[in-house]
Amino acid sequence: GKDNNNKNSIQFYSQSLQDASLHIIELEKELRDAIKYHQFELYLQPIVNLEQNSIYKAEALIRWNHPEKGLISPIQFIPEAEKSELINAIGHWVIKSACELVKQLNKHGYNIKISINLSPSQVIEENLFSFIHNCIKEYNIEPDLLEFEVTEGVLVNDYAIAEKLLSKIRAIGMSVSVDDFGTGYSSLAYLKRLPLDFVKIDQSFVKDIVVDDNDKAIVRAVIAMAHNLNLGVTAEGVETVEQLKFLKNNACNSVQGYLYSRPINFESFLKLIKEFY
Ligand code: C2E
Ligand code: MG
Ligand code: MG
Ligand code: MG
C-alpha cells in the first residue's frame, strides 16, 4: 500500500530482489548439474482411448530427483528454465529419453505412443526438427510412436515457424496436439490452418463438468468443433467416473487423469499396462 512507500520497505524490496536473482543463478547451476548427473527422470501418465478402452498413448512428464530436496515437480523449474537457453538442453534430454522409453516399451512388446511437451522456445529453436529426426534414427523407433504437445500461444505468436515445424513433424508420421486447450489465446482460424492431430481440453474445464452447465457447454462445443476439423479430442484431469461418463456420452475420444493413473515411473508404468491388458 501507499503507507509502505518509505525507505525501509524500499530497502526490503531490493534485498528480496537480490535474493530472487541469487536464487535464479543457483537454480541455473543446479539445473545444469541435473543434466550432467542424471537427476532428471521421465514419468509416464497413460492416455486411454475410449473407443477401444486401451492405453494407446502416454504423456511424458519430467521430474527432478534432487539430491537434497527430493522429487521436484516441473512447475517448480520448467518456467525458470524457459527464461534461458537451458530449456533447450532440458528439452533435448526429454526427447532423447522419450525415444529410449518407446524403445524399451517395444522390447516389452508394447507399441504405445509417447507424447512430449514442447516449450514455446523449443518450437522456435533452429535445429529442433533435425535433433528429433536424428533421435528417431539413433533409437530406430517408428515415428508414429511420438507425439508433440504445443500450447496455443506459440501457434499464434510464432505462427510461421510453428507451421513449418509441425508440418515437418507430421510429414514423417509423428503427431501433434494442442495442449491446455481453452486457456490461451487462439483463434479458430489457427486451428483450421495448422497441421494438427489432437486437441487436449484443459483440466480446468473438466474439473466441474458434472455440476457446471457452462463447462458442459464449453466441452461439448470444443469436441464438436474439433471433430468438424478432423481432430481427435483428449480430456485432461479426469478424476471421477461421473466425469468419464459425461465425456464418453459426448463423443470425447480419449482421457487422461488420476482416475486411471497419476504420472508414474517407467517400471510402474510397465506393471500398469501389464495389468490393464
Ligand atoms: P501439462 O502438459 O498440461 O501436463 C498435465 C499436468 O496435469 C501434469 O502435471 C499432470 O500430472 C497433471 N494431471 C494429470 N491428471 C491430473 C488429474 O486428474 N488431476 C490433476 N489435478 N492433475 C492432473 P505435472 O506433471 O506437474 O506437469 C505440469 C506441467 O509442466 C505440464 O502441464 C507441462 O506444461 C510442464 N511439463 C512437464 N514435463 C515437461 C517437459 O518434459 N517439458 C516441458 N517443456 N514442459 C513439461
Ligand atoms: Mg502436456
Ligand atoms: Mg495439459
Ligand atoms: Mg497444464
Side-chain angles (χ1 to χ4, degrees):
K2 282 180 201 149
D3 305 6
N4 292 337
N5 207 1
N6 58 36
K7 203 173 167 236
N8 273 347
S9 68
I10 290 168
Q11 232 169 9
F12 178 72
Y13 180 64
S14 62
Q15 183 61 49
S16 68
L17 259 187
Q18 209 173 17
D19 285 352
S21 47
L22 259 181
H23 179 71
I24 289 165
I25 293 165
E26 255 167 55
L27 182 62
E28 278 196 24
K29 190 201 170 298
E30 286 199 276
L31 283 171
R32 271 176 230 286
D33 283 351
I35 300 179
K36 207 157 99 194
Y37 301 117
H38 311 287
Q39 293 166 3
F40 288 130
E41 186 173 1
L42 278 189
Y43 273 33
L44 295 174
Q45 186 178 33
I47 300 176
V48 175
N49 181 319
L50 294 180
E51 284 123 71
Q52 301 160 0
N53 192 38
S54 66
I55 296 175
Y56 78 131
K57 201 189 309 191
E59 180 171 4
L61 294 156
I62 194 169
R63 299 291 183 263
W64 182 6
N65 295 303
H66 192 281
E68 284 113 39
K69 294 169 199 150
L71 203 65
I72 302 178
S73 136
I75 43 182
Q76 288 178 267
F77 65 90
I78 289 289
E80 217 37 70
E82 282 175 344
K83 292 176 188 163
S84 71
E85 78 292 349
L86 258 176
I87 190 61
N88 295 325
I90 296 175
H92 287 180
W93 180 88
V94 170
I95 293 163
K96 248 180 153 14
S97 306
C99 290
E100 169 71 32
L101 294 187
V102 167
K103 182 104 208 151
Q104 288 301 320
L105 285 167
N106 286 170
K107 280 187 185 154
H108 284 88
Y110 298 105
N111 277 331
I112 294 177
K113 188 191 280 196
I114 293 191
S115 186
I116 299 168
N117 289 284
L118 286 183
S119 288
S121 43
Q122 287 182 269
V123 173
I124 59 173
E125 184 190 340
E126 208 168 319
N127 294 317
L128 184 71
F129 181 76
S130 43
F131 183 86
I132 296 168
H133 202 221
N134 286 337
C135 284
I136 288 173
K137 283 189 277 184
E138 185 187 332
Y139 286 92
N140 190 27
I141 58 171
E142 292 300 324
D144 66 357
L145 294 178
L146 284 187
E147 181 165 312
F148 290 91
E149 301 190 4
V150 294
T151 48
E152 291 165 89
V154 73
L155 302 180
V156 178
N157 298 334
D158 298 293
Y159 178 83
I161 298 172
E163 206 257 351
K164 231 185 217 163
L165 174 71
L166 303 185
S167 299
K168 285 196 234 166
I169 285 178
R170 292 187 77 237
I172 63 164
M174 302 185 286
S175 53
V176 175
S177 56
V178 183
D179 201 3
D180 305 339
F181 186 75
T183 60
Y185 310 90
S186 67
S187 87
L188 300 181
Y190 287 102
L191 282 192
K192 190 183 104 178
R193 276 157 45 203
L194 279 162
L196 304 168
D197 301 280
F198 297 92
V199 164
K200 297 187 78 174
I201 301 180
D202 190 69
Q203 55 185 60
S204 58
F205 301 106
V206 174
K207 192 167 172 282
D208 297 323
I209 210 175
V210 178
V211 291
D212 188 323
D213 286 342
N214 292 332
D215 286 334
K216 282 184 193 172
I218 290 169
V219 168
R220 282 197 185 105
V222 171
I223 293 172
M225 176 208 67
H227 286 169
N228 280 317
L229 295 173
N230 273 321
L231 304 173
V233 181
T234 303
E236 300 192 85
V238 179
E239 297 185 354
T240 70
V241 176
E242 290 75 23
Q243 290 168 334
L244 176 66
K245 230 169 152 182
F246 177 89
L247 292 161
K248 262 188 182 161
N249 288 339
N250 286 279
C252 185
N253 305 95
S254 52
V255 293
Q256 174 181 355
Y258 295 171
L259 176 65
Y260 286 100
S261 169
R262 287 176 179 263
I264 46 182
N265 68 21
F266 183 74
E267 198 192 323
S268 307
F269 184 78
L270 260 185
K271 232 189 266 169
L272 177 86
I273 50 179
K274 275 180 192 153
E275 283 162 16
F276 204 86
Y277 290 105

